[in-house]
Every structure is written in C-alpha cells, then in structure tokens.
Amino acid sequence: MASTTKLIPVASTSQAIPQKTNRSTMTYLSCEEILAVLKAARSRSVRDWAMVLVAYRHGLRASEVCGLKLLDVNLKDQTVRVARLKGSMLTTQPLVPHRGQPLLDELSALRNWFKVRSADGSDFLFTSQKGGKLDRTQFFRVFQAAAESAGLPSEKRHPHVLKHSLASHLVAGNVNLALIRQALGHRSITSTMQYVGTSDGQASEAAQAALMRLY
C-alpha cells in the first residue's frame, strides 16, 4: 500500500455558471449540510454521490475531480492519486470507509459506481451520460442540483464550497496544520493559513493548555 499522510438563486441547472466565491468571503457547508448534499446526490445517481463525496473528502476543485482517471484509483490498496492544479502537490491519499455514516463511505461509493459504470473505453473515472470525460461545467450542474434539492441557500451551490468545507472541518477538529496542508495538497503553508482564523485569546488558551501538559 502506498505511503500516505494522510450561488444568486437559479431557476434551473442549465443557467450559466457564476463566478466562484471570493476567497475573502469563503463559504462553508456545515456537517449537516454536507450530509444533506450527499444524500441528495445519491438519490440522483451513484455517480453523483461518488463524485461529490470524493471532491469533499480530498478537497478537489471541479476540474480535478473530472480529471481523475481509472488508473488513479486503487480499490485494493484503498488509495487515490490526485494530480492537483494551480501549482498544488501531486498526492496519493487513502480512500476512507466510514462505518458510522454510510454517506461518507468512499469505498462503498466507488465500488457501487464501478458496478454501473459503462465500459465506454474512456480512461476517466467519472464519465458523462453520453460517455467520455465529464466536463467541469457538468460537475457544476450536478452539484448545483444536489445542493438545491438539499435546500442549501444560493451562495452555497458552487462546488468550490466542498474544498473550503473540508478545510474548515479539519480546522474545527483541531487537526495539525501541516496535516491539513497535506490533505488539501498545498505546496505552501501560506495557502493553508487562509482557512485559519484565530484570536489572541485562542492562541493564549492553546499555549496555556500545551504548557500545562508539558509541566
């Protein structure tokens, strides 16, 4: 096994894609909203569920999830190879089962997708209904439809909220910043720091707690 560290209301999903959220006003989904979107995606199709889940679990952009190839996924070793864009790292990350919440079980989602995926000769993991590589605008429409069905407000209907949400949830879970950086595939810790907002009081409390453990 490979070593791992670890929208603007819309009337229909055929409307033009809006610009993604400005980083200075990042939008995140709560854990409950993530589950609602995954449930809505699964009700649409196994493919949609697998796509949204993989995008969330690995902090993928729309182009990155659409760019995944069959050879990038190793169900035996339970890993996925992610070639990230915009200067981010190439990483191999674990595919994670989740006994407590079936909607978060990547292995189950992907195994079920492979059972119904058409053998159309495409090298890409997620294919369109007509066959061949799924376009990023198609993924946008998939996510938008699922988010709308889940009752999410318009500003949370862009798939880039998935990457922001993963980062936010890891920060809230007190995951080490270096591990968050690896999970998101950032080359620079500066890129990861944009997701971290702390006050002097929080920093003081953390320092005090660490010193209490040491002494």
Side-chain angles (χ1 to χ4, degrees), residues 129-189:
Q129 293 178 344
K130 296 180 179 179
K133 181 183 178 180
L134 191 79
D135 184 83
R136 64 182 295 276
T137 58
Q138 293 173 295
F139 177 64
F140 170 84
R141 294 187 181 103
V142 165
F143 181 80
Q144 186 186 52
E148 188 174 15
S149 295
L152 267 61
S154 58
E155 68 272 13
K156 294 185 176 183
R157 295 178 191 168
H158 195 292
H160 209 69
V161 299
L162 294 171
K163 186 180 183 76
H164 296 330
S165 298
L166 174 66
S168 176
H169 297 163
L170 293 178
V171 169
N174 293 317
V175 175
N176 181 283
L177 195 59
L179 297 179
I180 298 176
R181 169 180 169 269
Q182 187 73 15
L184 297 176
H186 290 155
R187 288 189 183 278
S188 170
I189 199 71

Side-chain angles (χ1 to χ4, degrees), residues 2-13:
S3 176
T4 58
T5 48
K6 265 219 233 291
L7 269 152
I8 343 292
V10 293
S12 72
T13 57

